[in-house]
Amino acid sequence: MNAIKKLLGIVWIGLGLAAGYYLLINQAIPKFESGKPEDMIPAIIYTFILSPIIVGGLGIFGYYSLTGEYSDN
């Protein structure tokens, strides 16, 4: 079971990186490039608030899983 938890730690880290990439590339950058004032606020929120929370949270969860913090011992 602990081996599965460590494997899933890698999955969580990869999922965090993929979510951050998607959020920045597909959501934030097109809104920055549109130049409309109503698109700037969501772009700033995506870039400076949501991305660090999502990537950091999933990354830390995956790191703890890899290091054995959730082991059964």
Side-chain angles (χ1 to χ4, degrees):
M1 189 68 175
N2 288 334
I4 293 172
K5 289 178 185 177
K6 289 187 180 203
L7 178 66
L8 287 175
I10 296 170
V11 171
W12 283 114
I13 292 172
L15 186 63
L17 293 174
Y21 177 80
Y22 172 77
L23 190 61
L24 289 176
I25 299 300
N26 293 335
Q27 298 294 320
I29 291 177
K31 290 198 178 290
F32 274 125
E33 290 174 348
S34 73
K36 297 180 199 172
E38 62 267 11
D39 284 345
M40 292 303 286
I41 298 297
I44 291 169
I45 292 171
Y46 293 154
T47 304
F48 297 109
I49 296 174
L50 292 178
S51 291
I53 291 172
I54 293 169
V55 173
L58 289 172
I60 289 173
F61 185 72
Y63 172 75
Y64 284 156
S65 182
L66 277 176
T67 58
E69 293 288 326
Y70 301 120
S71 65
D72 294 332
N73 298 337

